[in-house]
Amino acid sequence: MDPPPADEPNPQPASINRRSKPQLSCNLCRRRKLRCDRNQPCLTCTARGLALSCAYPNNQAPQSPRPHGAHRARPQATVQDRLGQLEQIVVSLMQKTTDGQDRPDQHPVASAPQDGPQEDSPGLAINTADSPAQSDGGSVWFSSSDAQYVGGTHWAAILDGIADIKEQLEQEDYGNTEKPAMLHTFLLYGCKSASKEDILAALPDRPAVDRYISQYFNRLDLAPSCLHSGQFSREYERFWENQAQTSIMWLGLLFSMICLAVLASSAADSSSSPGVRNPLVDTYREKIVQCLILGEYTKSGRYIFETLYHYLTIEYSIRKDADRDIWILSGISVNIALRMGYHRDPSHLPGISPFTGEMRRRAWATIVQGDILISTQMGMPRMIKDWQCDTVEPRNLNDSDFHEDCTELPPSRPETEITTVSHLVARWRIFAALGSIVDFTASVRPVAYDEVMRLDRILRDAEATVPAYLRMKGMAAAVTDPPQVIMHRLFLRLMFHKGQIMLHCKYLTPDPSASSNDPVSYSYSRTSCIEAALGILEIQRILDEETNPDGQLYMMRWRASSFIKHEFLTATMLLCFLARQSNGSPNALTDGHDLNQIMAALTSAHGIWIRSRNSSVEAKTAADTLSIVLGIHSGDSNMGAEGQAMNNNFSLNSAQPYRYPSPLEVSMETVWKRTFIMGSLSWGPIRCSQAQPS
């Protein structure tokens, strides 16, 4: 048999050759696809401040000879040494302040004993085209299948060194852990085509649809965000009179409302198994996308935004963890809304009726909220900028107060009066302040601490405008309140705490430039962070208790989305960091707060994360991290099973006790990589002047 042509190699031998090819580069250079000189440590790792993390596969040694005069044998760095080096890098990143003369290539790195040439050696030229581009504004990190931008203080800045240590510190093999199945986002990755007749044939009979629509308007609180109940009722009757004449996009809106009702009804059904999704949800998700595609949704038009908003709500509601697909869908929705002019107040646009204008204001308030939630969850800046928009807040009106034929809108009802959009108006004000904070934390320019305090006042002023019936109160005082109102209270308070943490988390570490006679420098910020984190974990406890079958919020449990859990995870990691830092000096960071209170909150959160660890990767990593932190605090004899196993595996020797990694060290790869938690804390670096609060 003739050999195959040269341009058509036999795939089987090639595969064998790839498997047998020895790895000559160190693990870190191989992971980042950087040039490695195969020394120990290599020059690339040395230049990046990761000399102690430079390692080769166990079954081989570096091949290239070492430079003349260098030692051929270097004592293997202990885990403690390498963690100490990485801790210095973290601290330098957190404490670095700008003097106006910083250069992107002059970031401080931890010093460590090195056998090879020093960084200023002539032979240490590193090709910047092959290295991650560093700047005060962030970095772009490339892999074989992805390119991701991250802020300058993001976990990716020290990911390489942590990644290798993680393999020694993790007791569990995550490769053997069952991960949730990847959800197929039909709008992004396609679905089978269908005609309008096929879609109509999939619609349930009218009695079933009537029940779904009733559940949508009476059980959910989504309708006021984009739909007017009176207008929809009239269109609904016309649909049943002549289905063939109904637009395909209105049909998609109808399927989206049915799908949301199915989600809510499944959550309220005590006989349904937790984590098992009703198969009708996937059927109706597909029908929604088929309608969007048939209606050419990118051309904009009536009912397109409403249908997209419902579809986006469905997609994030069925996910337990953060998903980049949701961020992509959000970007599509935002850009379509911008193209349709939702960002401009209708009073400036001719040809828009008072009724349509008010509904557009409600929709825009919903768009702004979703943009902030999704962008911060993914660690990205928000897409909507305040200087582009002049849409005012919606009026506090019931749907019965205005209709399609009205020539003038009635005045807004008093804020003390509950309407169908009271919560939307209150959210608008909180998110207006939150948006300014998100933009502030995304800035790559130096900022003064006075600006932090100014934004803090704006956030507190916005929170002060929340009506009394939407303010946080104990569950014992809310026994007669509807579950929707209780959820609104919890969410508004959660967003207030989110803003506090985003704004003040940069100042958890005492200012290194503060004078010794000023021990309370940035004390207000640290206190705000601690109180916000404790408040968030209290909300987590309430939701965990009240979404049980006998709880007041059981019917609303489907609203405990990944957005809310992301804030719980942020607060958990922040208190973990404080607890670990306080071990040596109890009052160093807690500013008079009781450390026992922090540990009690973490203990309660630990139990909650453990109960949900089987359905969420983020919950599992949070539970594992808390097992370590709580074990360290309580002592070896009371450590959890996982923490004790880790202690047994990685004790270095009896003469030198193992220094447990702090949560900031151990969670960078195991938690932040999976949740983009630093995006929630603060996206991008903040450089502050030495101005102190007045």
Side-chain angles (χ1 to χ4, degrees):
M1 180 181 293
D2 294 334
D7 57 346
E8 298 181 2
N10 190 333
Q12 183 174 356
S15 177
I16 294 176
N17 289 338
R18 284 197 299 269
R19 286 197 299 267
S20 61
K21 182 178 179 181
Q23 177 184 328
L24 301 179
S25 301
C26 71
N27 294 332
L28 297 184
C29 290
R30 181 175 181 271
R31 183 178 294 115
R32 285 295 173 198
K33 297 180 174 60
L34 302 178
R35 181 173 300 173
C36 181
D37 63 3
R38 303 170 187 173
N39 287 324
Q40 182 69 36
C42 72
L43 297 183
T44 301
C45 290
T46 302
R48 300 171 67 199
L50 298 172
L52 295 178
S53 298
C54 183
Y56 292 82
N58 295 332
N59 59 352
Q60 67 178 58
Q63 302 297 316
S64 297
R66 295 190 51 80
H68 179 70
H71 299 290
R72 290 188 173 273
R74 180 174 71 93
Q76 184 176 3
T78 65
V79 176
Q80 179 180 1
D81 294 336
R82 296 162 65 189
L83 281 173
Q85 180 191 38
L86 291 169
E87 183 177 29
Q88 295 179 52
I89 298 176
V90 175
V91 172
S92 68
L93 286 172
M94 294 176 62
Q95 296 181 348
K96 182 175 179 289
T97 57
T98 184
D99 58 0
Q101 298 178 350
D102 292 341
R103 283 170 36 200
D105 58 348
Q106 289 182 336
H107 291 282
V109 296
S111 59
Q114 300 176 6
D115 298 321
Q118 299 300 312
E119 188 169 354
D120 55 357
S121 300
L124 196 60
I126 302 297
N127 185 358
T128 57
D130 296 333
S131 302
Q134 297 183 349
S135 71
D136 283 349
S139 305
V140 180
W141 297 81
F142 297 95
S143 67
S144 59
S145 60
D146 192 17
Q148 177 189 345
Y149 180 84
V150 295
T153 58
H154 199 275
W155 53 264
I158 58 170
L159 174 60
D160 283 336
I162 297 291
D164 190 57
I165 294 178
K166 183 208 53 150
E167 297 172 2
Q168 301 180 44
L169 292 179
E170 284 186 329
Q171 169 67 15
E172 292 190 30
D173 180 8
Y174 282 94
N176 296 327
T177 302
E178 183 178 355
K179 298 181 179 179
M182 180 66 67
L183 290 169
H184 185 72
T185 308
F186 292 122
L187 191 61
L188 298 181
Y189 306 115
C191 63
K192 62 182 180 181
S193 60
S195 64
K196 183 178 179 180
E197 291 72 21
D198 296 332
I199 297 172
L200 282 170
L203 192 69
D205 56 15
R206 177 159 187 177
V209 178
D210 288 346
R211 288 192 294 270
Y212 287 136
I213 297 304
S214 175
Q215 291 175 7
Y216 173 85
F217 279 101
N218 296 307
R219 181 176 293 177
L220 308 181
D221 55 1
L222 301 175
S225 301
C226 59
L227 291 180
H228 186 277
S229 57
Q231 181 190 41
F232 179 82
S233 296
R234 289 182 281 274
E235 294 172 344
Y236 184 67
E237 290 299 327
R238 290 196 293 268
F239 164 73
W240 289 110
E241 293 172 0
N242 191 346
Q243 299 182 22
Q245 295 300 318
T246 303
S247 71
I248 189 66
M249 201 56 67
W250 190 93
L251 191 58
L253 175 62
L254 180 63
F255 270 104
S256 68
M257 298 166 69
I258 294 174
C259 189
L260 286 165
V262 171
L263 272 175
S265 60
S266 298
D269 184 4
S270 59
S271 63
S272 60
S273 301
V276 178
R277 188 167 65 251
N278 190 324
L280 286 176
V281 172
D282 292 334
T283 299
Y284 295 145
R285 284 171 60 219
E286 184 179 50
K287 298 307 171 188
I288 298 167
V289 172
Q290 289 170 346
C291 291
L292 286 168
I293 294 174
L294 284 176
E296 298 180 308
Y297 69 96
T298 58
K299 292 184 178 179
S300 308
R302 195 174 181 189
Y303 309 120
I304 287 180
F305 166 74
E306 295 85 346
T307 306
L308 272 175
Y309 164 65
H310 283 156
Y311 176 69
L312 178 61
T313 303
I314 293 166
E315 289 291 343
Y316 78 65
S317 296
I318 62 178
R319 285 165 167 79
K320 300 294 185 181
D321 298 322
D323 191 326
R324 77 182 75 183
D325 287 355
I326 303 301
W327 180 62
I328 301 290
L329 288 176
S330 175
I332 294 173
S333 302
V334 167
N335 281 284
I336 287 179
L338 291 172
R339 187 172 185 270
M340 297 175 68
Y342 280 83
H343 62 297
R344 299 302 312 278
D345 191 78
S347 61
H348 304 309
L349 305 175
I352 297 181
S353 68
F355 172 85
T356 302
E358 184 62 16
M359 295 307 299
R360 287 168 67 96
R361 293 186 185 100
R362 293 184 180 185
W364 182 249
T366 304
I367 297 168
V368 170
Q369 171 185 317
D371 178 34
I372 292 175
L373 286 174
I374 297 173
S375 295
T376 55
Q377 185 185 28
M378 298 304 298
M380 297 298 294
R382 64 171 179 155
M383 290 171 267
I384 297 172
K385 306 302 180 185
D386 289 339
W387 58 268
Q388 299 172 328
C389 318
D390 58 8
T391 303
V392 300
E393 73 177 33
R395 301 190 184 190
N396 190 36
L397 297 173
N398 286 312
D399 286 358
S400 58
D401 294 333
F402 65 113
H403 52 83
E404 301 99 306
D405 299 326
C406 66
T407 57
E408 185 179 356
L409 289 175
S412 182
R413 290 177 178 265
E415 294 187 358
T416 55
E417 184 174 347
I418 302 178
T419 69
T420 54
V421 294
S422 295
H423 70 282
L424 188 62
V425 176
R427 287 186 182 192
W428 168 266
R429 296 171 183 174
I430 293 291
F431 274 89
L434 197 56
S436 299
I437 294 173
V438 172
D439 293 339
F440 173 78
T441 57
S443 174
V444 298
R445 296 182 176 85
V447 294
Y449 190 68
D450 289 342
E451 181 67 10
V452 175
M453 299 305 297
R454 186 186 72 84
L455 290 174
D456 181 83
R457 289 190 294 271
I458 290 176
L459 178 64
R460 292 186 178 274
D461 290 344
E463 199 269 342
T465 65
V466 175
Y469 57 87
L470 289 176
R471 288 186 173 277
M472 186 80 169
K473 63 180 180 179
M475 294 302 297
V479 292
T480 61
D481 296 334
Q484 292 90 342
V485 174
I486 298 175
M487 283 296 296
H488 293 324
R489 290 173 186 156
L490 295 175
F491 183 78
L492 286 169
R493 191 64 179 176
L494 183 66
M495 292 300 102
F496 172 69
H497 289 324
K498 174 187 177 75
Q500 288 181 298
I501 290 179
M502 292 186 67
L503 191 58
H504 293 290
C505 70
K506 288 288 181 180
Y507 309 98
L508 280 177
T509 302
D511 182 15
S513 64
S515 60
S516 58
N517 58 359
D518 184 22
V520 294
S521 178
Y522 301 139
S523 175
Y524 175 81
S525 288
R526 294 195 295 275
T527 299
S528 296
C529 270
I530 295 170
E531 292 178 349
L534 291 173
I536 289 176
L537 292 193
E538 174 62 15
I539 294 175
Q540 183 188 30
R541 184 195 64 79
I542 293 174
L543 282 176
D544 179 67
E545 290 182 358
E546 299 301 331
T547 52
N548 285 321
D550 296 331
Q552 293 176 251
L553 302 175
Y554 182 70
M555 296 179 62
M556 302 294 295
R557 60 187 175 129
W558 74 281
R559 296 303 303 271
S561 64
S562 62
F563 300 148
I564 293 178
K565 294 175 182 177
H566 178 72
E567 306 310 327
F568 297 159
L569 188 55
T570 300
T572 299
M573 290 299 105
L574 188 146
L575 292 182
C576 281
F577 172 69
L578 288 172
R580 181 55 181 150
Q581 291 297 313
S582 299
N583 277 352
S585 178
N587 296 322
L589 290 176
T590 55
D591 293 293
H593 282 79
D594 186 3
L595 182 60
N596 292 330
Q597 181 186 12
I598 294 177
M599 299 311 301
L602 289 177
T603 302
S604 175
H606 185 220
I608 297 173
W609 289 120
I610 284 180
R611 286 193 292 274
S612 58
R613 62 182 295 169
N614 292 332
S615 61
S616 168
V617 174
E618 295 174 3
K620 183 183 187 307
T621 52
D624 292 346
T625 302
L626 278 171
S627 294
I628 301 171
V629 174
L630 295 175
I632 296 170
H633 179 75
S634 61
D636 291 351
S637 60
N638 298 321
M639 288 182 67
E642 294 174 357
Q644 186 65 54
M646 188 175 293
N647 179 44
N648 295 337
N649 282 349
F650 299 110
S651 294
L652 299 180
N653 52 65
S654 56
Q656 184 180 15
Y658 174 62
R659 185 185 69 83
Y660 290 98
S662 71
L664 184 62
E665 296 166 338
V666 76
S667 63
M668 281 290 188
E669 169 73 5
T670 60
V671 178
W672 292 344
K673 183 177 182 181
R674 300 170 187 168
T675 63
F676 297 93
I677 192 170
M678 286 299 290
S680 174
L681 292 178
S682 62
W683 181 89
I686 301 293
R687 304 301 187 203
C688 291
S689 69
Q690 302 307 313
Q692 298 295 309
S694 56

